[in-house]
């Protein structure tokens, strides 16, 4: 449960009795699992399974707003990843390493400046589609860098983003990732846009992504860190399109499917590939069964550089804030494939390694 505190800067000590107080919301999430993980090498080497604790992207955040006389309000947020164990976790654990920004919000929409998820990423992670495609612990999640789907999902470190209001169930979003290494002579911005719809049980989204002078790599997607000049190639480009559709039935069943096309060009030759996903969940009482199957077909245009991930889970919602879960996860790589799950607990050392995980965990939000 989110708690609102009065940030008085140690009120009676540092402020006079007439000073104004600013409202600050403290929020966060503790996400942790105990896992049995196993990797197998088709070349003959078997890896001993191991039991380990895996953090599932726990976080701590502060946010607030200030109403303006001219209309609208200033908004801000500082969010940091925290690790409950030494393994797992996909966030930057430095202060403000997760979504951290200042912005302005009004009847015309929301404008953010700072470190924020691209409009391409929020298509599946912060929309009405997320309950179908993103309602997984990281171990069972199939999206992100190194995985079989949404490999260009990224948080743009220096960005301007806009979310429109919803009009009849429709919304548009856009992101512009500034190139902070421009003084090196490279101009390598990242653009993302998405269109969303929700109504009459249907949910859908169409996203586009373009990275200028940046090539794609399986391990890092299209890098967007400041001054990462080694990943910038003059004349290169990376394009992507993501289409996701779903339907939410009245009796607790949700089903969805996604298709993604990615094209990367180093300025001389290009390659393209397709990613696919099907997902669904069924909620009955305080329980929910979740399932997903996603696959990447010949990533970077290379034959046999393909892989798939299957995830099946059972979630028990103990309260509105706390859930317990168990997941079975399988990552299946082809001859040149080197795909992993989102948490990295099934990260292969070599190509053609398959992974298996049994995860037991909890998530509690505040």
């Amino acid at each position: 449960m989110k708690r609102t505190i009065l940030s008085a800067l140690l009120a009676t000590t540092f402020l006079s009795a007439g000073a104004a107080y600013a409202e600050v919301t403290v929020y966060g999430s503790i996400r942790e699992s105990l896992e049995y993980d196993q990797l197998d090498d088709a070349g003959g080497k078997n890896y001993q399974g191991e039991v380990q604790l895996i953090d599932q992207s726990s976080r701590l955040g502060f946010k607030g707003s200030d109403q303006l006389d001219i209309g609208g309000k200033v908004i801000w947020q500082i969010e940091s990843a925290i690790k409950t164990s030494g393994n797992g976790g996909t966030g930057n654990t430095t202060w403000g390493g997760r979504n951290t920004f200042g912005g302005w919000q009004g009847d015309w929409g929301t404008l953010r400046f700072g470190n924020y998820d691209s409009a391409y990423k929020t298509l599946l992670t912060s929309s009405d589609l997320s309950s179908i495609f993103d309602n997984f612990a990281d171990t069972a999640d199939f999206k992100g860098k190194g995985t079989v789907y949404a490999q260009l999902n990224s948080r743009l470190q220096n960005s301007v983003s806009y979310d429109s209001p919803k009009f009849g169930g429709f919304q548009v979003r856009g992101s512009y990732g500034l190139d902070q290494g421009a003084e090196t002579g490279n101009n390598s911005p990242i653009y993302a846009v998405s269109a969303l719809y929700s109504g009459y049980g249907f949910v859908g989204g169409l996203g586009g992504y373009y990275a200028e002078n940046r090539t794609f790599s399986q391990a890092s997607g299209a890098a967007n860190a400041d001054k990462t000049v080694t990943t910038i190639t003059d004349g290169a480009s990376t394009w992507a399109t993501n289409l996701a559709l779903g339907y939410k039935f009245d009796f607790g069943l949700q089903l969805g499917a996604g298709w993604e096309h990615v094209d990367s060009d180093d300025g001389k030759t290009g390659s393209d590939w397709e990613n696919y996903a099907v997902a669904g969940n069924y909620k009955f009482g305080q329980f929910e069964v979740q399932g997903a199957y996603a696959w990447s077909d010949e990533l970077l245009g290379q034959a046999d550089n393909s892989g798939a991930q299957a995830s099946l889970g059972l979630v028990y919602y103990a309260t509105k804030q706390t859930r317990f879960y168990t997941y079975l996860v399988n990552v299946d790589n082809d001859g040149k494939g080197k795909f992993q799950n989102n948490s990295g607990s099934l990260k292969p050392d070599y190509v053609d390694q398959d992974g298996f995980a049994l995860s037991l965990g909890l998530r509690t939000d505040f």
Side-chain angles (χ1 to χ4, degrees):
M1 178 180 181
K2 294 182 179 178
R3 299 178 300 156
T4 300
I5 66 171
L6 293 178
S7 175
L9 298 178
L10 301 179
T12 56
T13 305
F14 297 103
L15 295 179
S16 64
Y21 297 100
E23 288 192 355
V24 178
T25 298
V26 180
Y27 68 96
S29 184
I30 300 298
R31 309 179 184 192
E32 179 75 18
S33 69
L34 180 66
E35 291 187 18
Y36 173 81
D37 298 310
Q38 169 92 39
L39 287 171
D40 293 311
D41 186 358
K45 182 178 180 181
N46 290 321
Y47 289 73
Q48 294 295 322
E50 61 180 345
V51 177
Q52 53 185 338
L53 288 170
I54 302 293
D55 181 78
Q56 307 285 331
S57 294
S58 301
R59 74 283 307 267
L60 175 67
F62 306 86
K63 62 182 178 180
S65 63
D66 187 21
Q67 196 72 35
L68 299 175
D69 293 339
I70 60 174
K73 59 184 177 180
V74 169
I75 59 173
W76 62 269
Q77 177 175 295
I78 302 171
E79 186 173 291
S80 305
I82 54 176
K83 281 199 173 186
T84 56
S85 64
N87 298 320
T90 58
N92 182 349
T93 55
T94 59
W95 175 257
R98 291 183 60 86
N99 285 331
T100 298
F101 58 84
W104 189 15
Q105 188 174 66
D107 295 338
W108 42 267
T110 302
L111 191 63
R112 298 179 179 90
F113 303 89
N115 186 25
Y116 195 68
D117 290 344
S118 74
Y120 192 81
K121 180 179 181 180
T122 62
L123 172 75
L124 296 180
T125 61
S126 301
S127 73
D128 289 333
L129 286 162
S130 63
S131 62
I132 301 174
F133 292 94
D134 198 52
N135 199 21
F136 302 89
D138 287 358
T139 290
D141 193 3
F142 53 89
K143 306 180 305 301
K145 297 174 183 178
T147 68
V148 295
Y149 198 83
Q151 295 136 358
L152 290 167
N153 277 8
S154 59
R155 181 172 296 123
L156 302 180
Q157 292 184 334
N158 298 277
S159 67
V160 178
S161 65
Y162 170 73
D163 295 354
S164 79
K166 288 187 177 180
F167 301 100
F170 288 94
Q171 184 185 42
V172 294
R173 301 174 178 176
S175 303
Y176 170 52
L178 287 70
D179 176 18
Q180 297 299 299
E183 71 274 13
T184 63
N186 296 289
N187 183 26
S188 304
I190 294 176
Y191 306 88
V193 64
S194 62
L196 297 155
Y197 173 75
S198 179
Y200 305 100
F202 289 97
V203 288
L206 177 64
Y209 178 101
Y210 172 63
E212 185 178 348
N213 294 329
R214 297 178 189 261
T215 56
F216 176 90
S217 71
Q218 183 171 345
S220 60
N224 57 70
D226 292 350
K227 308 181 190 304
T228 340
V229 292
T230 56
T231 65
I232 296 173
T233 304
D234 188 38
S237 62
T238 299
W239 298 80
T241 302
N242 192 358
L243 174 65
L245 300 171
Y247 189 80
K248 300 182 178 183
F249 295 89
D250 293 336
F251 55 90
L253 178 65
Q254 298 185 117
L255 297 173
W259 165 82
E260 185 177 36
H261 178 83
V262 187
D263 189 309
S264 187
D265 191 325
D266 64 5
K268 297 179 181 178
T269 59
S271 59
D272 63 284
W273 65 97
E274 315 282 341
N275 300 320
Y276 306 90
V278 290
N281 55 68
Y282 174 62
K283 194 167 186 178
F284 53 101
Q286 292 176 259
F287 290 91
E288 183 178 61
V289 177
Q290 301 175 349
Y293 184 78
W295 66 102
S296 185
D297 186 25
E298 299 188 350
L299 183 139
L300 288 169
Q302 299 176 359
D304 291 330
N305 188 9
S306 303
Q309 178 177 323
S311 303
L312 179 64
L314 178 65
V315 181
Y316 173 67
Y317 293 87
T319 69
K320 290 183 178 180
Q321 289 75 45
T322 300
R323 69 186 73 171
F324 300 93
Y325 59 79
T326 180
Y327 287 103
L328 284 172
V329 182
N330 176 249
V331 177
D332 183 10
N333 282 304
D334 287 351
K336 294 182 181 178
K338 199 177 179 181
F339 297 92
Q340 65 178 57
N341 58 346
N342 180 271
S343 72
S345 63
L346 297 177
K347 185 176 182 178
D349 296 311
Y350 310 100
V351 297
D352 204 17
Q353 279 185 315
D354 299 332
F356 167 83
L358 172 61
S359 179
L360 302 170
L362 68 88
R363 168 179 166 177
T364 184
D365 302 328
F366 60 90

